[in-house]
Amino acid sequence: MAPGSVVVGLLYYIGRTYTTSYYGHLGVPTSDLELSRESYLTVSPTALFLPLWALLWCALLVLAFFALVEHWLARPREKPLRQRAAVAFGLAGGLLLLTGFLVFTQPPWWLDSVLSLLKAGWPRTVIPPLVVALGAALALFSLRLYRAGLRERGNPLAGGRIPLLAGAVLIGLLTMSLFFSLAHYADEAGDGQAIRDSEAGFAGRVSVLIYSRSLITHDASGIDFRDLGDSGGPYRYQYRGFMLLAKSSARYYLVSYDRRQPEDVTVILRDDDDIRIETLG
């Protein structure tokens, strides 16, 4: 599989996760919206920028730390410590990797006793898999120190298949942990953005004016209703105050401009001859 395909697939998955979480919070099934692949790819940078920026800085700091430690251990008088350092880093990495079973399976006691100590939101979502990623990085560094010691002693195992396979497994664990973090962050980011948009009255969304042949039953707050009588023709009932949240091939998903709470409703109207919708500037 080409690296470009992997990147596009990751962007698509993150964009889909973000979009599904965003509209799911507002009560809109994304399967009904028939969004294109390009739509998911377009929104993926919104969910990826902050975590990738943070991950790159963390990776830079970790690599700088490893480089300093390796340079210090390379001095002749410190070489006897290299083997012990490799064991210490390996044990620390192994202990952190063991938490991966708890991070990915999330048994009830883990959720209640450990994750509840972290602040709700992205810290609770991102920090545990990052700990697993750090464990994989420490284990990789331990393997590097161990192989360097074998090469200095002329041991043929330094270039054997077992260290290479162990490195490949650790890289896989590192990749899986980072992917897990990004996916969960995208889910949290979509839900959080929906809350912020709701509190801001969906600023930037299109306002619509609805004309209907019959009365529309809804529980949305802040909607102005007028009966135009015979002067309105067949569409005599007017509703003002709705914002267009989304549009599928058969339905309009509308919210009130003054929606503020998660329990406020999303109104769903069929796109048929019973209603006429005009957009407002």
Side-chain angles (χ1 to χ4, degrees), residues 49-237:
F49 176 78
L50 181 59
L52 280 182
W53 182 84
L55 285 175
L56 288 175
W57 273 104
C58 290
L60 182 62
L61 293 175
V62 170
L63 289 175
F65 171 75
F66 287 166
L68 290 174
V69 172
E70 189 173 20
H71 178 73
W72 180 70
L73 292 174
R75 295 185 299 179
R77 63 179 181 179
E78 306 296 347
K79 285 185 179 181
L81 292 176
R82 180 177 295 173
Q83 195 69 18
R84 281 179 282 177
V87 173
F89 281 114
L91 290 175
L95 289 175
L96 293 179
L97 283 173
L98 286 176
T99 64
F101 295 102
L102 304 175
V103 171
F104 299 132
T105 58
Q106 294 185 349
W109 68 266
W110 169 264
L111 297 173
D112 297 335
S113 303
V114 179
L115 292 188
S116 60
L117 301 177
L118 297 174
K119 183 179 179 181
W122 71 264
R124 188 177 298 178
T125 302
V126 174
I127 289 177
L130 284 183
V131 169
V132 180
L134 178 61
L138 290 174
L140 279 171
F141 185 57
S142 170
L143 184 62
R144 177 181 174 85
L145 294 177
Y146 177 72
R147 293 183 65 189
L150 292 180
R151 281 195 298 268
E152 286 185 355
R153 296 193 296 270
N155 194 317
L157 291 177
R161 291 184 177 180
I162 293 180
L164 292 177
L165 289 175
V169 171
L170 290 173
I171 290 175
L173 288 172
L174 177 62
T175 303
M176 184 178 68
S177 300
L178 295 179
F179 180 81
F180 189 83
S181 298
L182 291 175
H184 276 254
Y185 179 85
D187 183 73
E188 290 283 347
D191 192 70
Q193 187 61 51
I195 294 174
R196 289 190 293 272
D197 286 352
S198 179
E199 292 174 345
F202 295 95
R205 294 279 181 177
V206 176
S207 299
V208 295
L209 189 63
I210 300 176
Y211 295 91
S212 176
R213 293 177 181 269
S214 57
L215 290 172
I216 298 175
T217 302
H218 67 87
D219 292 319
S221 59
I223 303 300
D224 294 328
F225 166 74
R226 288 181 61 192
D227 185 351
L228 303 178
D230 295 336
S231 62
Y235 299 95
R236 62 180 292 175
Y237 302 111

